[in-house]
Amino acid sequence: QMWQVGKRQASRAFSLYANIDILRPYFDVEPVQVRARLLESMIPVKMINFPQKIAGELYGPLMLVFTLVAILLHGMKTSDTIIREGTLMGTAIGTCFGYWLGVSSFIYFLAYLCNAQITMVQMLSLLGYGLFGHCITLFVTYNIHFHSLFYIFWLGVGGLSTLRMVAVLVSRTVGHTQRLILCGTLAALHMLFLLYLHFAYHKVVEGILDTLEGPNMPPFQRVARDIPVVSNAVLNTTAKAVALTL
């Protein structure tokens, strides 16, 4: 019986190691390669005749998602965000991983309908590296509170990362209508997600109040109304009249 129990535990450990070994190729990457792919994610390449190469690894995208979680958590704390149900950490992780996994699955399904040559792992890697522009934009704008600066980074840095993903999908899709549907959907979702992350966890209320009231406006104070002073003789006369009536 002890032999059977030990054999069963050993088989479970071996099966777990085999499952981990399946995922090992997707995380076997050098830091130099990750750095090069981060730089490439900000450089759109116009090449339509041949499908552009997509890195089939998940180490860099996963680290970018965790970095975005940390930046979003920092933005929540600086803006005094209050979560009624759950925690700040859970909300940040759910938002970032939900976008990465959900949009990747949706775009992969749309790419399958549009007959685009891309796999699910490649889609996860492409969208994950596309979050590098979001990390740069949010890290700067969460610490420097100027909406004009955010729009510059949104169009510049976020636009470059979006154009990179669009260029890759264009090279792997045949047909103008299919390219328009697939790339337009991805670009809209990616840029709107950056807008959501900025305005959902930012000091928007303080900025609106400063614009309406002015930064030097004194706080509103409630002042008691002036009450006319009534003499004690009048009060005594009134009290005696009420007593006689009763």
Side-chain angles (χ1 to χ4, degrees), residues 119-198:
T119 62
M120 185 61 189
V121 176
Q122 290 176 340
M123 191 64 236
L124 288 171
S125 178
L126 181 65
L127 186 63
Y129 276 110
L131 293 175
F132 181 57
H134 286 31
C135 293
I136 295 176
T137 303
L138 294 177
F139 179 76
V140 174
T141 56
Y142 277 163
N143 294 283
I144 304 176
H145 303 285
F146 290 106
H147 290 295
S148 58
L149 181 64
F150 166 74
Y151 287 120
I152 293 174
F153 273 81
W154 180 64
L155 292 175
V157 181
L160 286 177
S161 62
T162 304
L163 286 177
R164 169 67 180 180
M165 295 189 297
V166 167
V168 172
L169 288 180
V170 166
S171 65
R172 290 176 170 266
T173 309
V174 179
H176 296 286
T177 305
Q178 290 84 350
R179 289 174 177 173
L180 182 62
I181 295 174
L182 185 61
C183 298
T185 304
L186 178 60
L189 291 175
H190 202 63
M191 297 296 286
L192 290 176
F193 181 65
L194 183 55
L195 282 175
Y196 168 75
L197 292 181
H198 176 75

